[in-house]
Amino acid sequence: MEKTKPLTHIRLTSHPGQLSAEVIKINWGDPDPAKRGPIIGTVTNPNHRNVIGAHSGSYAVYRALAIASGALNPVHIPDLTNTAPAEKLGPFPSWGNNKTIVSIDPFGHIVSEIFKDYLSNGMDIRPTIAITKAHIHLPEIVDAIEAGRLKPDGKILLENGEILVTKAAIDPVWYLPGIAERFGVDEGELRRALFIHTGGMFPELITRHDLNIFLPPIGGMTTYFMGDISKLGQKGIEVACRVHDECNGSDVFGSDICTCRPYLAHGIEVCVETAQRAGVGVIVYNRKEGRALGEVTKFLVYNARKRQEGGDRAEKYFERTECVAGVQDMRFQELMPDVLNWLGITHIDRFVSMSNMKHDALIKHGITVGERVSIPAGLIPKDAQVEMDAKVAAGYFSTKVSPDETELKKKKGRGLDD
């Protein structure tokens, strides 16, 4: 194994610099991937890097640890043979718009195809999206079969309760000018905040304004598709969707203090129903634990809620979160519609969510919504009723049509009842 190169080969970024002749410029939003250019965030050849940060999001730190410990060759370049997507997806018009998609690379799953000439010349370009097939199995789906709500068809839902899915893992790729515009902030202020509040981890944010792509060290998302994904983007195809933000305690370990797993399971059931009617079901699973506050903060809030005078109660639910975290919610759904735009979705027939934040973000970014599906009362755990009461009181869920939604549906030629 080749030894790690000494630090002397690394060019520090304490002073502004410009792209060298070796660096491929990224023209974000160009519909032609050859003109858009590949995302190169690896360090095997620093002179080729055209982004800030490194591939693999939060796992980049583990890669560094593997190199430091001698377990990984620092100049290893992945062999992408037979790693192409298990299903074809796109392209869609949204891929060529620098405002519609700003937080993921729409070409991230097909780099081995569109940049094969670069790869054959030894350039280290890595996929930021991978698409494969799998079976998933949830006891709640078995229960739905036994209750007669779902019927196995042998194609989407098997007799044993397994669901045949296509799934995509997606790492974040941020186009900084677009991110700044989404949040209504100056790009310079965004870069400064990202630099300062990551402890100065990425000095290029303030020294390299010629680099406008950032690979943040955060978790990405996984999407699960039920039905024929080639139908996505086609007119008249029914789409059901649940956008779910990670809750490890409930989703994995079944904690009953919230409705996260019950709502996720219900969303999957709705998606299966829709797929069996020749539609497509889409589950988007975002790594945003504890409303993106993190699990440590989340558990601190749990303690604060339960120990306050009078016990855990709805009117203090969000107040106790803000006391600990300084904010009620950091998920900020402004970037959430990107993945749906990447999938070519312009209308969701059944949106399995009671969140106005999610709904309004979809409308703002051009995706209309038909029915908003709330969680059935019988699926709400007893200890989660406080959460539900708090969310209803805070206006999380409303069936009223917003002015933005009315205008958007008029533009698309749809009535308000579809």
Side-chain angles (χ1 to χ4, degrees):
M1 178 181 295
E2 182 177 333
K3 292 183 179 179
T4 303
K5 294 180 180 180
L7 291 178
T8 52
H9 85 288
I10 298 176
R11 181 167 63 85
L12 297 179
T13 54
S14 57
H15 300 284
Q18 296 298 318
L19 295 177
S20 71
E22 293 183 73
V23 173
I24 301 169
K25 184 179 179 181
I26 298 173
N27 300 296
W28 192 267
D30 195 303
D32 182 347
K35 295 178 181 178
R36 200 295 302 273
I39 303 295
I40 308 175
T42 57
V43 295
T44 51
N45 188 333
N47 292 326
H48 289 167
R49 286 171 52 78
N50 60 5
V51 303
I52 302 165
H55 282 311
S56 299
S58 57
Y59 289 96
V61 176
Y62 285 105
R63 182 178 186 275
L65 181 59
I67 291 171
S69 66
L72 175 63
N73 185 339
V75 295
H76 172 73
I77 296 178
D79 179 355
L80 299 179
T81 303
N82 293 330
T83 62
E87 288 281 353
K88 179 177 171 55
L89 182 65
F92 297 108
S94 55
W95 294 14
N97 188 322
N98 66 4
K99 296 183 183 297
T100 302
I101 300 176
V102 300
S103 63
I104 61 177
D105 176 9
F107 303 106
H109 58 306
I110 51 176
V111 299
S112 61
E113 172 190 340
I114 58 179
F115 300 124
K116 58 184 178 182
D117 290 341
Y118 291 113
L119 291 166
S120 63
N121 288 325
M123 190 163 284
D124 189 1
I125 303 170
R126 306 193 181 192
T128 57
I129 301 174
I131 302 176
T132 190
K133 286 181 170 291
H135 292 196
I136 61 174
H137 192 280
L138 280 76
E140 290 90 342
I141 298 301
V142 175
D143 293 342
I145 293 174
E146 292 177 350
R149 298 195 305 272
L150 289 177
K151 294 183 179 180
D153 55 45
K155 295 181 179 179
I156 295 168
L157 180 61
L158 304 183
E159 291 286 345
N160 64 358
E162 288 186 351
I163 306 169
L164 279 63
V165 300
T166 301
K167 60 182 182 179
I170 305 171
D171 281 339
V173 178
W174 286 8
Y175 172 58
L176 290 172
I179 299 288
E181 185 176 346
R182 285 280 179 94
F183 284 89
V185 300
D186 177 77
E187 185 188 344
E189 287 302 311
L190 172 65
R191 286 173 173 262
R192 178 178 171 83
L194 289 170
F195 170 71
I196 291 174
H197 297 288
T198 57
M201 189 183 299
F202 301 100
E204 298 98 330
L205 286 165
I206 56 174
T207 65
R208 296 294 304 276
H209 282 261
D210 53 316
L211 298 177
N212 59 19
I213 305 298
F214 178 41
L215 306 182
I218 59 175
M221 70 188 79
T222 309
T223 56
Y224 292 83
F225 310 100
M226 294 100 194
D228 183 356
I229 68 170
S230 68
K231 295 179 178 179
L232 287 171
Q234 296 181 16
K235 290 185 178 180
I237 298 300
E238 183 183 4
V239 175
C241 178
R242 164 74 180 163
V243 175
H244 190 88
D245 295 325
E246 179 182 28
C247 177
N248 183 61
S250 178
D251 297 341
V252 179
F253 294 101
S255 169
D256 63 356
I257 198 172
C258 63
T259 58
C260 293
R261 182 182 172 98
Y263 221 148
L264 175 60
H266 182 59
I268 292 172
E269 182 176 332
V270 171
C271 285
V272 170
E273 289 176 346
T274 302
Q276 288 181 324
R277 291 197 297 269
V280 182
V282 180
I283 299 291
V284 179
Y285 193 89
N286 291 300
R287 266 54 181 207
K288 294 180 180 179
E289 178 65 59
R291 301 196 206 112
L293 302 171
E295 203 163 31
V296 170
T297 297
K298 179 180 180 178
F299 287 7
L300 294 175
V301 171
Y302 282 168
N303 288 344
R305 283 170 47 195
K306 294 174 182 178
R307 291 170 179 167
Q308 65 188 338
E309 185 177 352
D312 193 10
R313 54 194 193 276
E315 66 272 19
K316 294 288 185 179
Y317 180 88
F318 289 110
E319 179 183 321
R320 293 310 301 146
T321 302
E322 193 165 358
C323 286
V324 176
V327 64
Q328 293 182 3
D329 195 324
M330 285 201 310
R331 286 174 293 178
F332 305 126
Q333 301 294 344
E334 280 85 351
L335 303 179
M336 177 269 290
D338 282 17
V339 65
L340 300 175
N341 279 318
W342 174 62
L343 296 172
I345 294 173
T346 60
H347 179 72
I348 298 172
D349 297 272
R350 305 173 76 192
F351 185 51
V352 189
S353 174
M354 65 184 294
S355 168
N356 279 339
M357 290 175 64
K358 293 176 182 177
H359 170 268
D360 294 349
L362 294 175
I363 301 305
K364 184 176 180 180
H365 295 287
I367 300 172
T368 51
V369 176
E371 178 187 3
R372 298 171 65 180
V373 182
S374 59
I375 187 171
L379 296 182
I380 301 173
K382 181 180 179 182
D383 284 353
Q385 193 59 52
V386 169
E387 175 199 54
M388 297 301 293
D389 292 344
K391 287 183 174 181
V392 171
Y396 254 57
F397 182 48
S398 172
T399 56
K400 294 180 180 179
V401 178
S402 67
D404 285 345
E405 187 169 6
T406 301
E407 185 62 27
L408 183 57
K409 288 193 174 185
K410 284 181 179 178
K411 288 180 179 179
K412 291 189 175 182
R414 291 193 179 99
L416 293 177
D417 297 328
D418 64 355

